[in-house]
Amino acid sequence: MPLPFLTADRAVDALGEYSDEVALPFDDRDRWRRPYRPGPWRVAAGAMLLLLASFVLLAAVIIAAAGEPAGALAVLGVAVLVIASSLRLLRVGVWVSEAGLRRVGFLSTTTVAWSRIGAVHTVQQPVRWLGLPRTVQGQALIAERPGAEALAPLLTDHNADFLGRAEAFDRAADLVEAWGDEYRRG
């Protein structure tokens, strides 16, 4: 079963290093896409949640075999919540399309049209380490909206997708900036 939210498009993989000539190699620009692969920390957390869900499902089967259908349904509900949390965790990130920029969080999603974004650029600032309260000095990709508050950092080099992968952060930031440059002009 293909899971399109787990991998970046093959066109991004074929890019290798960012170049101005092939900044936006996609034919279907109406489709929302994440211009980078999920990082190893995010994938590992999702895998651990799915492993936990398998044990919870096994517990539901054992409880059902013991003759407690109400308890088995409750434990099955917990397993479904853990699986849904794992899938949502894997969708977290920045998604782009011709329509705009979408920042998907664990509990919320923010979509902003390209016409409402003034600039997308990388800045040096304190960033959260793996989304925890601890901050370290790092790079963040910021989208500024004229006349409004700035969006939360779209990408950081210390989040679950890019921790220890500076080259991947640079390439993803360049691609998001390229999408912004292309569609803010039009």
Side-chain angles (χ1 to χ4, degrees):
M1 176 173 83
L3 300 174
F5 55 85
L6 265 183
T7 61
D9 289 304
R10 295 197 191 283
V12 171
D13 294 339
L15 268 179
E17 290 298 314
Y18 170 76
S19 72
D20 290 330
E21 298 171 5
V22 197
L24 303 175
F26 309 109
D27 293 330
D28 182 16
R29 296 185 182 187
D30 292 335
R31 195 176 128 231
W32 288 98
R33 65 187 77 247
R34 180 176 23 206
Y36 58 91
R37 291 178 181 269
W41 290 93
R42 186 173 312 283
V43 173
M48 292 302 289
L49 282 173
L50 289 175
L51 181 65
L52 174 67
S54 69
F55 288 120
V56 174
L57 285 170
L58 180 63
V61 169
I62 292 171
I63 292 171
E68 294 291 331
L73 284 176
V75 174
L76 180 66
V78 169
V80 168
L81 285 175
V82 171
I83 292 169
S85 296
S86 174
L87 293 176
R88 183 63 181 186
L89 181 67
L90 292 172
R91 287 193 59 84
V92 168
V94 173
W95 297 72
V96 293
S97 83
E98 187 175 327
L101 179 73
R102 181 174 284 171
R103 182 178 181 275
V104 177
F106 188 73
L107 296 176
S108 66
T109 299
T110 305
T111 303
V112 180
W114 288 118
S115 61
R116 297 188 62 210
I117 294 177
V120 179
H121 56 92
T122 306
V123 296
Q124 290 282 334
Q125 70 177 35
V127 296
R128 294 171 59 178
W129 184 78
L130 286 177
L132 299 172
R134 177 180 177 221
T135 59
V136 296
Q137 189 64 27
Q139 293 184 4
L141 183 68
I142 304 292
E144 296 177 354
R145 295 188 293 181
E149 75 284 348
L151 293 174
L154 302 173
L155 305 172
T156 69
D157 62 347
H158 285 81
N159 70 5
D161 290 321
F162 301 109
L163 185 63
R165 299 174 53 216
E167 185 178 305
F169 171 79
D170 291 338
R171 188 169 62 221
D174 287 344
L175 280 170
V176 174
E177 288 175 12
W179 276 85
D181 290 344
E182 175 79 16
Y183 291 111
R184 280 195 325 265
R185 274 188 262 145

